[in-house]
Amino acid sequence: MAILVYLEQAAGKVKSTSLEAVSFAKALTQKTGEGEVVALALGTMDPSELAKVGKAGASKVFHASDPRLTEGVIQAHASAVAQAFKSLGAKTLVLAKSSLGDAVSARLAIKLDAALVSNVLELPDLSSGYVVKRSIYTGKAFAFTPIAKENKILAIKKNAIELSKEGADALVESFGVSLTDADFASKITSTERASGQILLPEADVVVSGGRGMKGPENWGMLEELASTLGAATGCSKPVSDIGWRPHHEHVGQTGVKVAPSLYVAVGISGAIQHLAGVNSSKCIVVINKDPEAPFFKAADYGIVGDAFEVIPKLTAALKAQ
Amino acid sequence: MKILVCITHVPDTTSKIQFTSNNTKLDTAGVQFIIGPYDDYALARAVELRDQTGGTLTAVNVGEAETEPTLRKALAIGADDAIRVNSFPKDSYFVAKQLAHIAKEGSYDLILMGRESIDFNGGMVHGMVGELLGIPSFSPVMKLDVEGKRVTMAREIEGGKEYVEAQLPLIAGCQEPIAEWKIPNMRGIMSARTKPLTVVQPVSLETQAEAASFQLPAAKGSVKLIDKDQVGELVRLLKVEAKVL
Ligand SMILES: Cc1cc2nc3c(=O)[nH]c(=O)nc-3n(C[C@H](O)[C@H](O)[C@H](O)COP(=O)(O)OP(=O)(O)OC[C@H]3O[C@@H](n4cnc5c(N)ncnc54)[C@H](O)[C@@H]3O)c2cc1C
Ligand SMILES: Nc1ncnc2c1ncn2[C@@H]1O[C@H](COP(=O)(O)O)[C@@H](O)[C@H]1O
């Protein structure tokens, strides 16, 4: 028996969140005795790139190279994953929670008659049954969900497990899927993607700015800090509402939920709706000129001061070491 | 066009979440309930489309009697009628089964939902209903236009968006900036009192992933403040204490 992992790609590379899903599945096989981890890659990809998925814990990669699958056509991806799951005789599917992963896994829950748990935070507890811990109320609480169904789908949250890099190269096998016109009835006509940047939902370090940054012309300073840290940039909702920054950078209850190791918040007051998007961060640094800003209550480290003074100094101190 | 919009009844985004009954129930004391913020976007776009193309707009909620004020608010904002499936929403699968049944009975052309509920945060109900009905589902959708049977959408992806073309009937899980939230006006509030709100019983009781108990995250320790002229100290702490650099 095997656990199947659904891999997502961005520009021909397996997403880092999908590699985390592979490591999660590997650790899960060690708990449940489900044997090996088989990953499924869809669309045009370089097989040598796919072999590297082995490092994260997969022993095999099924590659369905139909170029129509390179883009994330939801219905088609769900059909392809269902076929791989059935042909493997798998009982568990693991994937990373994402825009595409959510849409695909929900359809699979019905196709595979599987119990789907989303926002999974850690490996299931098998001491009495199969109990999955997940995040609910936008990170304000956790729920323990016992699963009785034989078929299971776990959509894991970022940082649910440490990415493993120890494994050997995986065996890449081509995998034939039969897809119908109905699978491609809807069409992706074009895509706009920020290129060459670290994607916010997947970033390990995030530098975010709020209304305290005063205007879009001051973002250069945050971008420099971000590039020094190897970080993605984010912002508060009003900042994207006014159009200082693009919508996909807005963090919080109604925006992106991030889970980085380090979240640096500059000139953000720390409204509860903003905190809902960052409360899974390992370490939070807040820079705000108002010592009463509520964000300090949610922070690990704080500097009370003017961003325009502190940020250049911080960037310089980071560069100096 | 017949439009169905699926509404959740959830704690206001500023609510402090707490549990009772040995951590098995949400403590609703002092909690104000609202239309889920993403469902509010779906509702706002649904009202605009109904006004543009004619047709009807039905709001549906799976919930117990206490959710009726939330459904009445959807009526005040512009839904023509409402349906309440009389049961606690046990899990996404349970909800999806009820919604798929309602959708099938009413043969709706367009089903709008929120990108996710802010209690379960599953982002799953739309896909499940889509698969149960055998129609396409898209989420998170930030722009949606209908022309005859043809639907054009912008769907948010990590770091950008993709433009999608599809045919009715379909399901979309909505988020901003698809439309501006609508606030009910006096006339809306008055007329909502007399608009039809039908209560039906659940068609299936099956669940797949119902939560058995809850837990709150550990309380955060207090912040360590560093002087603004000592940024080097912050860098040192991030390195040796927090170990995140
Ligand atoms: C339903 C709902 C959903 C929402 N969802 C979100 C969401 O997803 N994400 C989100 O962010 N918000 C969300 N909000 C909005 C949220 O309530 C706050 O209004 C918002 O987060 C405030 O943004 P801000 O901190 O950038 O601005 P402000 O509240 O204006 O704070 C600016 C901060 O900058 C500081 N400052 C000013 N000048 C300087 C300086 N020179 N140096 C350093 N600091 C300075 C100030 O002291 C202040 O603390 C939502 C609201 C609602 C009602
Ligand atoms: N109890 C419910 N009643 C009506 N619609 C619901 C209910 N639960 C979820 N939905 C719809 O499904 C969407 C996604 O919910 P979820 O999968 O729980 O994140 C919500 O935004 C609603 O539009």
Side-chain angles (χ1 to χ4, degrees):
Chain A
M1 229 204 296
I3 292 184
L4 182 68
V5 177
Y6 164 58
L7 301 176
E8 280 184 69
Q9 62 153 307
K13 282 224 171 354
V14 177
K15 286 189 166 190
S16 64
T17 45
S18 290
L19 292 176
E20 281 182 20
V22 171
S23 293
F24 187 95
K26 177 70 183 175
L28 187 56
T29 57
Q30 284 154 0
K31 257 190 128 161
T32 61
E34 279 173 291
E36 57 175 355
V37 175
V38 178
L40 175 69
L42 301 176
T44 307
M45 286 184 90
D46 178 359
S48 66
E49 185 64 38
L50 288 176
K52 290 188 204 152
V53 175
K55 297 206 172 17
S59 44
K60 209 184 275 174
V61 179
F62 283 173
H63 184 199
S65 61
D66 186 332
R68 293 175 301 171
L69 292 169
T70 306
E71 300 248 46
V73 183
I74 296 163
Q75 275 67 235
H77 273 221
S79 295
V81 181
Q83 287 171 39
F85 191 85
K86 287 179 186 153
S87 93
L88 257 183
K91 299 281 176 254
T92 309
L93 171 70
V94 175
L95 74 161
K97 189 172 167 59
S98 74
S99 168
L100 182 61
D102 285 352
V104 170
S105 60
R107 299 194 72 101
L108 283 165
I110 304 299
K111 277 189 199 293
L112 302 173
D113 187 25
L116 165 56
V117 192
S118 180
N119 274 314
V120 173
L121 293 165
E122 53 190 53
L123 289 167
D125 178 359
L126 307 183
S127 59
S128 62
Y130 194 106
V131 180
V132 186
K133 182 177 178 181
R134 68 185 164 104
S135 157
I136 55 166
Y137 290 106
T138 325
K140 290 182 195 169
F142 308 126
F144 295 94
T145 307
I147 304 296
K149 278 253 164 203
E150 189 172 34
N151 286 354
K152 302 169 183 77
I153 304 177
L154 304 180
I156 65 165
K157 205 173 153 114
K158 193 177 170 296
N159 278 337
I161 199 150
E162 188 107 9
L163 179 62
S164 112
K165 292 178 181 143
E166 324 288 61
D169 276 4
L171 197 68
V172 181
E173 270 178 26
S174 81
F175 182 76
V177 287
S178 65
L179 297 165
T180 63
D181 287 349
D183 286 322
F184 294 99
S186 59
K187 296 210 163 31
I188 296 171
T189 50
S190 66
T191 307
E192 280 169 26
R193 217 189 278 265
S195 63
Q197 290 173 16
I198 299 159
L199 292 179
L200 181 59
E202 294 156 20
D204 200 46
V205 183
V206 174
V207 173
S208 262
R211 210 145 48 176
M213 290 306 294
K214 305 284 189 281
E217 66 280 6
N218 297 324
W219 242 262
M221 187 188 299
L222 290 187
E223 274 163 355
E224 198 183 343
L225 173 61
S227 82
T228 310
L229 284 165
T233 52
C235 65
S236 66
K237 179 165 156 39
V239 163
S240 69
D241 285 348
I242 333 165
W244 293 357
R245 300 298 296 173
H247 180 264
H248 64 252
E249 286 197 4
H250 132 222
V251 171
Q253 176 103 48
T254 47
V256 178
K257 283 91 187 165
V258 297
S261 301
L262 175 60
Y263 187 81
V264 183
V266 187
I268 304 179
S269 58
I272 191 159
Q273 296 97 348
H274 186 84
L275 297 182
V278 307
N279 52 19
S280 305
S281 309
K282 267 189 212 146
C283 176
I284 295 179
V285 173
V286 168
I287 297 164
N288 196 304
K289 69 174 186 189
D290 175 9
E292 302 298 323
F295 219 144
F296 284 118
K297 291 207 176 66
D300 298 283
Y301 301 101
I303 293 182
V304 178
D306 186 339
F308 300 95
E309 269 175 49
V310 175
I311 297 303
K313 282 193 203 161
L314 180 56
T315 307
L318 283 161
K319 279 186 177 158
Q321 50 110 36
Chain B
M1 183 161 66
K2 283 188 80 178
I3 308 175
L4 181 68
V5 57
C6 306
I7 300 290
T8 56
H9 164 86
V10 291
D12 167 55
T13 54
T14 57
S15 309
K16 191 166 187 250
I17 299 299
Q18 277 175 312
F19 300 99
T20 59
S21 314
N22 206 11
N23 280 325
T24 59
K25 273 203 173 65
L26 178 72
D27 182 356
T28 56
V31 171
Q32 205 185 331
F33 282 83
I34 56 167
I35 296 179
Y38 298 108
D39 309 334
D40 235 347
Y41 287 116
L43 176 61
R45 188 63 190 137
V47 169
E48 290 172 0
L49 288 169
R50 191 270 324 272
D51 291 348
Q52 239 173 59
T53 64
T56 60
L57 170 55
T58 302
V60 59
N61 167 260
V62 180
E64 289 170 319
E66 77 256 12
T67 74
E68 283 198 8
T70 300
L71 268 178
R72 288 276 172 215
K73 189 173 169 211
L75 290 169
I77 288 172
D80 300 301
D81 59 349
I83 304 170
R84 182 171 66 81
V85 180
N86 185 28
S87 172
F88 184 76
K90 299 170 198 282
D91 69 5
S92 307
Y93 178 77
F94 175 89
V95 169
K97 285 286 253 197
Q98 319 307 329
L99 295 179
H101 177 75
I102 301 276
K104 201 166 187 174
E105 294 270 290
S107 23
Y108 296 92
D109 303 293
L110 178 66
I111 303 172
L112 296 186
M113 305 193 186
R115 158 205 189 128
E116 66 178 29
S117 58
I118 65 163
D119 48 4
F120 290 172
N121 304 117
M124 305 189 305
V125 169
H126 14 76
M128 288 180 173
V129 176
E131 190 64 34
L132 286 167
L133 295 175
I135 63 174
S137 52
F138 304 89
S139 180
V141 172
M142 47 202 304
K143 187 173 182 301
L144 182 145
D145 293 297
V146 183
E147 246 191 273
K149 288 254 163 233
R150 186 165 154 264
V151 184
T152 49
M153 284 167 278
R155 193 174 85 85
E156 187 163 74
I157 54 176
E158 283 75 20
K161 52 187 151 183
E162 62 188 23
Y163 294 90
V164 185
E165 244 184 67
Q167 300 283 318
L168 292 177
L170 60 78
I171 301 176
C174 304
Q175 73 167 33
E176 63 172 355
I178 197 161
E180 293 266 349
W181 282 343
K182 298 196 176 356
I183 297 157
N185 58 26
M186 212 48 206
R187 231 182 82 220
I189 295 168
M190 297 304 287
S191 67
R193 292 192 193 150
T194 52
K195 284 180 178 171
L197 191 164
T198 318
V199 180
V200 299
Q201 295 308 317
V203 287
S204 145
L205 294 176
E206 205 188 332
T207 61
Q208 290 191 335
E210 194 177 355
S213 66
F214 305 103
Q215 190 183 47
L216 293 174
K220 193 105 190 162
S222 60
V223 59
K224 203 173 251 185
L225 287 178
I226 294 118
D227 190 276
K228 66 178 165 47
D229 297 317
Q230 302 289 320
V231 289
E233 174 62 6
L234 174 63
V235 174
R236 192 190 68 82
L237 288 169
L238 291 176
K239 234 174 145 169
V240 304
E241 192 177 79
K243 300 192 173 65
V244 291
L245 288 185

